[in-house]
Each structure stands twice: as structure tokens, then as C-alpha cells.
Amino acid sequence: MPKDGGIGAASKRREDVRFLTGTGNYTDDINIRGQAYVHFLRSDVAHGRIEKLDTAQAAAMPGVVRIFTGADFEDVGGLPCGWQVTDKHGAPMQEPGHPVLAQGKVRHVGDPIAAVVADTPEQARDAAEAIIYDIAELPAVVDMKAALDPGAPKVHDELESNLCYDWGFVEENKPAVDAAFEKAAHVTTLELVNNRLIANPMEPRVAVGDYARSTDESTLFTTSQNPHVIRLLMGAFVLGIPEHKLRVVAPDVGGGFGTKIFHYAEEAFCTFAARALARPVKWTSSRSEAFMSDAHGRDHVTRIELALDADNNFVALRTDTLANMGAYLSTFAPSVPTWLHGTLMAGNYKTPLIHVNVRAVFTNTVPVDAYRGAGRPEATYQLERVIDKAAIELGVDPIALRRQNFVTEFPYETPVAVTYDTGDYNATMDKLEEIADLSGFDARRKESAKRGKLRGLGVNTYIEACGIAPSNLVGQLGARAGLYESATVRVNATGSISVMTGSHSHGQGHETAFPQVVADMLGIDESMIEIVHGDTARGPMGMGTYGSRSLAVGGSAMVRATEKVINKARKIAAHLMEASEADIELKDGQFTVAGTDKSVAWGDVTLAAYVPHNYPLDEIEPGLEETAFYDPSNFTYPAGAYACEVEVDPETGKVTIERFAAADDFGNVVNPMIVEGQVHGGLGQGIGQALLEGCTYDENGQLITGSYMDYAMPRADDVPFYQVDHSCQTPCTHNPLGVKGCGEAGAIGSPPAVVNAVVDALRSGGHDITHIDMPLSPSRVWTAMQG
């Protein structure tokens, strides 16, 4: 029977009450007395020099408070990059400046060139339209290969070229890898594109800056996944505000998917302008603005080669990737195609030799950074597609080929510098074959054929690395921030608890799952525990939520802080019962003396902590509050196997997903309902990438897919009912909860499953096709069928 509460229970999400009743408190709901509004004038060309910027007429319009331009920010720091990559020659990456407002030059459509602050949003917009400006348009570079040509226009004049870095990993492996390819019995080669995506969270970005002149304190309310990091980056590196004078608050946030990790110019501007004007300043992004100002995702072009011996064992793998950085380096952009991508190229397989080469390229497009999965989907997609192509070329079953090459012994040290601590890839594949009813596929294919449709089956596996860590290692790899997490467990006198966490919830269900962990440890009801997050003034420094790290890293910090609380409470209980501390046990909210009937309730002990009449203050100080910082010793490695069945209409190329099954190993599961919901969401986004979504620029750098009229998002009828299972659990060995990440898995494992299925369907209809690039729109599929 399901548990009623604690770890393993499908407790209903308590935060959904306010979300579903419209009583959430989002950043756009925050309005401060006397606030002004800002509208950004953005470049309508991809590359050009600002020859004229006349704001006089606009500044005289009704309601205008002030107009800011790049000149106002000449003495202000630019937006910092949080990760430095060193190239394969030992040189640091090229790192151009990123001004808050454009200074002299614009580098992508949407680059902000002026900001109008006015009494109302309408007045700010009208005045922005009245600014007289002239931009001398320069040739734009959009295609990554063209950007690397010696004569290509440079996105940044001060740089040597448009190459940010040329990264090889593991570089010392390359001679052995090349030798293995020379001796291989079979080599499969595939060139593919991982299409550029726009995250499109339900809530657009918002920023509200406020300033208290009396205390010289600034406050930023923002739609962020990691407010402490924003405070650090903006305060220290952009505006020069001491951290004790800067508060960042991220209240309810309506989805992020990675795009709200980063520090954006609009946040810095609103904070700066509020100080300059001594007046609150608010900005709310329109959806059209979001398309050309939110960081985009993916956008890789890759050539991957897989070498096999005569027995179909994988002997070597090598890849060459072009990764688009866009016009500027977003906060964590350099790490995505390198350390979050190259280290996962082993996948679930025991390939002994691997070499990954990545060239990061500047183009006149919106900056690109982490999007749900961040490097792991790109690695999984190319690996699982080349394996399927190899199976076609060799005439072998794709599942059998994968099973033959699975890692089966753990811990397993990969040739790309990570060590998998646990896993059972055959078990997840067994479970997949069961829940997907693969034995019944042939009958379903025949039924589809009777209706004139081509049915295909795609199967793949994935592994991801979550909770990126430890800090000392990633620091050596170029991270400019720690990657620990923090928690403060504050026990009130009556026994209720406030847990302050550095993790941030923007849809993950932290307010439900985190109390389950603490309640399970203490034996009390979950309703006695509240989670406090998203406010730098109310909790310890933390690193936020991304990379499926919240429970594995943030939850582990809570465990450590709760253990400290329990240890102190046991001392108090021992004095109350005149027993040895070593004999005190805690179970079901009761402290007992082992072997006796003596007991004292949790609430009595917590009250005694604050009314210290019955224990020696020279041995135990009053109060019951503890803080812990947790820095993992390794990643966690969730893994799984996915199966997709599609029908293709040969007359139109229309692809319909008929069935989708996902068998995942997430280690121990705290709340199975939340986990299932996370997988469902990831699958929907992965299917969206595979079939529908694609951000496109023309040769002049104009964003073609600048609205929902042109950028296709998945709808309810684009996805099937899913068969999801997470019963194959191999607990993580190095965190106290034994958990692994689950938030990104669906988006990582689903795109190759869909593409594999479509290729299989077309081949069943007699079409000699081994690959089609995403998104697999009807026109692309139909064109492929025409040869």
C-alpha cells in the first residue's frame, strides 16, 4: 500500500492550492508605491554601428522620467560569464564584454540600445518609439561554419576571430582513438543538427528594482532560478553593490527550464535605474521580447563516428561539434557544450576510447545557454542516433546491439573523466520491453498498414550527470562559483519548523517534497514544516536550482542540518529524562530511553530548547536551529530506456506519436507523483524538439521564428498518454538520501527515441533513409520520402 507521508509517499503538492486558485505571488504581481516602468528600445538589425541616438524629443514626452543609453553605463561593469573554458592548446577562451545597454555597436536583433523610464508602461513604449536613431548596418554572420572563415565579419571587433574556444577532450586519448578507427571492422558516421530552441516558460521574465535611500539598500525582485547567484554576479561584478546592501527576491516563478538561471541585462538595469532615480522601476517582458532576449538553447552541428570490431563491440567514438554561443557569452554558456556534454559521451556503454572536439562560435544571434538537460541531451541524441544507424548498417537488432555494449559492473570509470557509481541498464531495458509491450509491436504495425500508415519503433537509452560537483573539481575546470547547497533548519518553540534553502522552486514541488524528507527523519507530520526559499535576506547563501540538483544537493544539505538538530535535541531529551545521551532514540516524534518506557514528545523537547529550565546552559546553549552546507563528492547518474511508436502518413509526412514508454532509474524516490510529473513534462519538451520546435534566423540575422505564429510549441494532441516506470532503483552511493536527479531525464531521452521511430517507420515503407534532422516536420519527412 502507498505510504501516507514521508519519504516514498505520493503526497499532494501543497503549493498547487495557490497556483490553481490564482493566488500565487509572481514577480509581475509585485507593485511598489510610486514605481515607474521601463521599455527597452531594441535593435532591429543583427549587426551594426550606432551612428545616431537622439533622445531629446522622446525625453520631453508626457510621463517620461529619464532615458538611459549605453553612455550611462560606461563606468558600470558588463554582464559576467560564470565559467571559463581553456582550449586544447592551453589558452583561455575569448571572452568579450557584454554591456547592459549597447555601446557603439549592436550584435543581434533584440540587443537593447536605450531604456525609457516613464510613469506608465504605455508612456514608456510611446517614448521609445519616438527615439531617433540610425544604425549603420554591417554584414551579419549567422551560420557557424561561415563565421569561422578567415574573412568572416567579426561579431566583436576586439577579438581575433569568431572562435570562442577549440576544446578537445580527452586530448591525450586522440592518437589511440584515431588508431582504433584505422583498425575497426566497421565505422558508422553521422552528421546531424541539434536544433536551436526557445525555452518559452509560461511566465515571461520580470524585474522590479527598488532602492531605500535611508539605508542605501537595493532590492531586486526577479524571475530567477538562483537569487543568491544573481546577487553575487550583479552586486560584485556589474553594479558594485556590497552583498549586505543588495537583496534579491525570486517569489513564485512560473517555469524556468534553464533560461532563468542566468543574469540578464534587464535585472541589472532595473536595479541601477532604481538607485539613480530613487524610485522603483519595473520591467515585464512581452512574449515577442522574450523570443529575442531570453537565452536560447541547443544549436549544435555535429559529426559523430562510431568504430566497432568484428563482433560488434564498440571500440572507439569521436565527435566534432560546432556549438553556437550567440553574440555574447551568457552566464554558463561555455560549460554546456564542453563539461556538461563531452563528459557524457560514453553514455550507457563501455566504449574504451573516446575523443570529443568542440568549437564554440560567436554569431549575430541571441546568446545560447543551458536549456533543460544542458549538454546531456546533445550528447545523448548524437550517441543514440549513431548507434541506431550502426544497427541498420550491420543488419542487427538495435536493442541487442545496445545490450551487448552496456556497462554492467560498477563503479565504472569512463574514458571521459567521470565515474558512474551505480546503475543497472539491463534492468531498465527489461522493464521498458515490458511496459512498452514490444512483443506486440509487429501486430500494431500490421494494423497501421491496413489504414495506410507507416508505423515505426524507436528505442534508446540515456544517462545523465546531475548535481554537478564537487566545487573544488569544477573550479579547476573553469567554474567561477561554488556548486554546493545550503539549508537552515529552524525549529520553533512549539515544534513547527521553518527550513530555509538555497534551492529555488519554479515548478518542481519543493514545498511538498522537502518537508517529506525532514518529517521522515523526525517522525512528525509534514504539515508542521514550511519551506522558505527565493529570498537572499531569509536564508544562507545557496546556488539555486538547475541540473536536477535540488534533492540530491539541496535535500542532502537539509538532511545534514536536520541531523545536527536531532543531535542537539537528543542532548536536551537526555537531560529531561535524566538518561545518557547514547541511550536516547527518536522515532515517530518521540524521544525514548532505550530499554525503558521513558519518553518525551518532540514538542516538549523543542519547548525546553527555548525555555531552558531543565538543562545546564553551560553544556547546551538555548535554541534549536542548525545550518549545513553540502558539497557533493560526485555527480549522480540517473539512467533509463525509452521507447516511442509513431505513425507516419506517407501522403503528407505527418508524424503522430501513438505510444511512448519510459523506464527510469532515479535511485530512491521521495515523491513518486512529483517524479512522474517531472518525467511527463520532460517528455513533452523532448517531443516538441523532435517534431515541432526550431528557432530559425535568415542570412541577415533576422529572427524568422519570432512568435508562436512561426515557432511551433507542442500541444495536448501532439503527445500521447505515457507509460512511465521508475521501479528500477539503484540508489546513489554518495549522498545521504540515495537519490538521483529526475527533472531533465524526459527531455534528454525522448528526442532520439522519436527520430529513431520515424526512421524505422520510413524504412518499413521501403525508403532507404537513415537520418532526418529535427524538427521532423511534415515537410521534412515528406521531402525525405521523395528522395
Side-chain angles (χ1 to χ4, degrees):
M1 294 181 64
K3 290 183 65 175
D4 293 330
I7 293 175
S11 300
K12 292 183 178 180
R13 289 176 27 131
R14 62 171 75 172
E15 50 268 70
D16 285 351
V17 174
R18 68 177 186 274
F19 295 153
L20 294 174
T21 57
T23 56
N25 184 39
Y26 297 91
T27 307
D28 195 48
D29 294 321
I30 295 171
N31 294 291
I32 304 172
R33 182 180 176 87
Q35 77 184 14
Y37 299 83
V38 61
H39 184 91
F40 290 96
L41 175 65
R42 298 182 183 274
S43 175
D44 56 2
V45 301
H47 195 199
R49 284 198 167 79
I50 302 172
E51 302 286 351
K52 181 180 182 180
L53 190 59
D54 184 352
T55 63
Q57 180 178 330
M61 292 179 67
V64 173
V65 178
R66 181 174 168 181
I67 298 177
F68 295 82
T69 66
D72 295 296
F73 288 84
E74 288 180 352
D75 297 326
V76 174
L79 303 184
C81 180
W83 201 297
Q84 182 185 69
V85 166
T86 301
D87 74 11
K88 62 186 180 184
H89 306 294
M93 66 188 187
Q94 294 200 92
E95 190 173 357
H98 186 177
V100 174
L101 295 177
Q103 297 178 356
K105 192 176 180 183
V106 293
R107 295 179 174 86
H108 68 86
V109 170
D111 214 356
I113 57 179
V116 179
V117 180
D119 292 333
T120 70
E122 295 78 14
Q123 290 171 331
R125 185 190 62 233
D126 291 345
E129 293 175 353
I131 293 175
I132 300 170
Y133 67 97
D134 180 36
I135 297 177
E137 193 166 357
L138 299 171
V141 59
V142 176
D143 179 80
M144 286 187 282
K145 291 182 180 178
L148 294 179
D149 289 342
K154 287 198 289 187
V155 178
H156 295 272
D157 297 334
E158 70 274 19
L159 301 187
E160 296 178 2
S161 69
N162 292 321
L163 180 66
C164 178
Y165 56 75
D166 185 352
W167 184 78
F169 186 72
V170 175
E171 197 62 17
E172 51 265 33
N173 287 355
K174 192 173 187 304
V177 170
D178 292 342
F181 271 89
E182 290 294 326
K183 300 174 184 177
H186 182 85
V187 173
T188 294
T189 302
L190 180 61
E191 296 187 3
L192 49 79
V193 174
N194 206 294
N195 41 323
R196 180 185 278 235
L197 302 175
I198 300 174
N200 282 310
M202 187 178 295
E203 175 201 30
R205 289 189 296 117
V206 184
V208 183
D210 193 17
Y211 176 64
R213 180 181 291 175
S214 60
T215 59
D216 192 33
E217 292 177 343
S218 292
T219 300
L220 171 68
F221 300 92
T222 183
T223 48
S224 175
Q225 298 177 214
N226 46 1
H228 285 278
V229 175
I230 300 305
R231 183 181 67 166
L232 173 64
L233 294 176
M234 185 176 71
F237 299 102
V238 184
L239 302 181
I241 303 173
E243 285 182 274
H244 70 289
K245 293 293 185 180
L246 177 59
R247 177 189 179 196
V248 177
V249 182
D252 290 332
V253 174
F257 313 123
T259 198
K260 292 176 182 173
I261 297 171
F262 324 120
H263 178 37
Y264 286 96
E266 296 86 359
E267 295 170 321
F269 176 84
C270 288
T271 307
F272 177 88
R275 291 178 70 90
L277 302 173
R279 181 175 178 181
V281 175
K282 182 175 185 176
W283 170 74
T284 299
S285 174
S286 68
R287 186 61 69 180
S288 297
E289 206 172 6
F291 271 78
M292 58 182 175
S293 65
D294 291 3
H296 294 173
R298 312 286 194 255
D299 205 353
H300 289 189
V301 176
T302 296
R303 175 186 172 90
I304 181 170
E305 298 172 282
L306 175 64
L308 303 92
D309 66 16
D311 296 320
N312 296 338
N313 296 307
F314 302 165
V315 295
L317 182 79
R318 61 187 177 194
T319 74
D320 187 17
T321 293
L322 294 178
N324 204 333
M325 295 288 101
Y328 302 101
L329 290 178
S330 181
T331 307
F332 292 116
S335 68
V336 174
T338 52
W339 300 110
L340 299 183
H341 160 249
T343 53
L344 270 295
M345 283 311 306
N348 307 65
Y349 310 104
K350 53 189 177 187
T351 312
L353 294 166
I354 299 175
H355 181 261
V356 178
N357 196 86
V358 177
R359 287 171 290 167
V361 185
F362 292 112
T363 62
N364 292 116
T365 62
V366 170
V368 179
D369 208 320
Y371 171 71
R372 197 170 191 168
R376 284 71 56 88
E378 295 91 319
T380 298
Y381 181 68
Q382 57 188 274
L383 180 59
E384 292 298 320
R385 284 295 299 122
V386 79
I387 291 172
D388 243 44
K389 188 181 181 201
I392 291 170
E393 293 173 351
L394 295 167
V396 299
D397 176 74
I399 295 178
L401 182 61
R402 288 174 167 85
R403 285 186 182 273
Q404 176 180 337
N405 287 280
F406 276 161
V407 173
T408 56
E409 297 182 2
F410 297 88
Y412 175 76
E413 185 173 346
T414 75
V416 279
V418 295
T419 300
Y420 304 159
D421 59 335
T422 59
D424 190 340
Y425 309 144
N426 277 301
T428 51
M429 185 63 81
D430 290 342
K431 178 57 68 174
L432 177 73
E433 293 196 38
E434 174 192 330
I435 65 174
D437 184 26
L438 297 192
S439 61
F441 172 72
D442 287 339
R444 293 191 291 273
R445 170 174 274 177
K446 290 175 182 177
E447 192 276 331
S448 295
K450 291 178 182 178
R451 294 183 286 104
K453 302 294 177 64
L454 303 177
R455 195 177 191 101
L457 171 65
V459 173
N460 65 272
T461 64
Y462 79 90
I463 188 168
E464 63 165 321
C466 301
I468 181 171
S471 292
N472 61 351
L473 172 60
V474 297
Q476 296 171 34
L477 303 181
R480 291 166 169 166
L483 290 167
Y484 54 84
E485 198 46 87
S486 63
T488 294
V489 176
R490 177 179 297 160
V491 183
N492 300 311
T494 56
S496 63
I497 297 173
S498 295
V499 179
M500 280 68 77
T501 174
S503 298
H504 185 275
S505 181
H506 40 279
Q508 291 85 353
H510 292 175
E511 293 174 40
T512 301
F514 285 162
Q516 289 181 247
V517 173
V518 178
D520 201 82
M521 296 179 68
L522 300 176
I524 63 176
D525 193 89
E526 298 164 18
S527 64
M528 296 177 65
I529 302 165
E530 71 161 345
I531 301 299
V532 179
H533 65 92
D535 188 341
T536 61
R538 297 188 65 189
M541 174 76 174
M543 302 312 295
T545 294
Y546 45 84
S548 302
R549 73 191 303 268
S550 293
L551 195 57
V553 188
S556 294
M558 287 181 200
V559 170
R560 296 298 185 228
T562 304
E563 288 173 343
K564 292 181 180 181
V565 165
I566 292 171
N567 288 339
K568 183 174 180 180
R570 288 175 69 242
K571 293 178 181 178
I572 298 172
H575 282 285
L576 294 178
M577 293 185 285
E578 299 179 338
S580 169
E581 181 186 338
D583 293 331
I584 301 299
E585 298 176 346
L586 172 61
K587 184 178 181 181
D588 298 331
Q590 294 283 328
F591 290 92
T592 60
V593 180
T596 75
D597 60 357
K598 284 186 176 182
S599 68
V600 61
W602 166 256
D604 293 332
V605 173
T606 62
L607 183 62
Y610 291 94
V611 186
H613 296 165
N614 297 307
Y615 59 86
L617 293 176
D618 59 335
E619 296 181 20
I620 308 172
E621 64 183 26
L624 196 53
E625 177 176 324
E626 298 289 347
T627 295
F629 287 78
Y630 179 80
D631 200 329
S633 61
N634 192 2
F635 295 97
T636 68
Y637 298 97
Y642 287 3
C644 176
E645 289 186 31
V646 302
E647 279 190 345
V648 179
D649 185 338
E651 299 297 322
T652 65
K654 167 73 173 173
V655 176
T656 303
I657 297 182
E658 297 296 319
R659 298 164 67 97
F660 203 108
D664 297 289
D665 175 4
F666 296 134
N668 294 334
V669 171
V670 170
N671 187 311
M673 181 188 68
I674 288 178
V675 167
E676 188 167 335
Q678 287 286 300
V679 174
H680 283 197
L683 293 176
Q685 286 187 280
I687 290 169
Q689 175 175 14
L691 295 183
L692 300 161
E693 299 182 53
C695 175
T696 305
Y697 286 87
D698 70 10
E699 66 276 9
N700 298 313
Q702 291 296 326
L703 181 60
I704 301 300
T705 51
S707 75
Y708 289 138
M709 293 293 290
D710 304 294
Y711 188 93
M713 295 283 286
R715 302 186 182 192
D717 60 355
D718 292 312
V719 299
F721 286 98
Y722 307 116
Q723 294 294 321
V724 174
D725 181 272
H726 43 258
S727 63
C728 300
Q729 299 176 3
T730 58
C732 175
T733 60
H734 55 78
N735 69 54
L737 290 167
V739 297
K740 307 177 183 181
C742 72
E744 298 165 296
I748 293 170
S750 53
V754 175
V755 178
N756 289 350
V758 173
V759 170
D760 182 61
L762 299 185
R763 293 185 66 81
S764 74
H767 301 281
D768 188 17
I769 292 169
T770 56
H771 181 69
I772 306 174
D773 276 326
M774 301 183 291
L776 275 63
S777 62
S779 61
R780 282 192 177 183
V781 175
W782 187 88
T783 300
M785 287 191 290
Q786 308 315 305

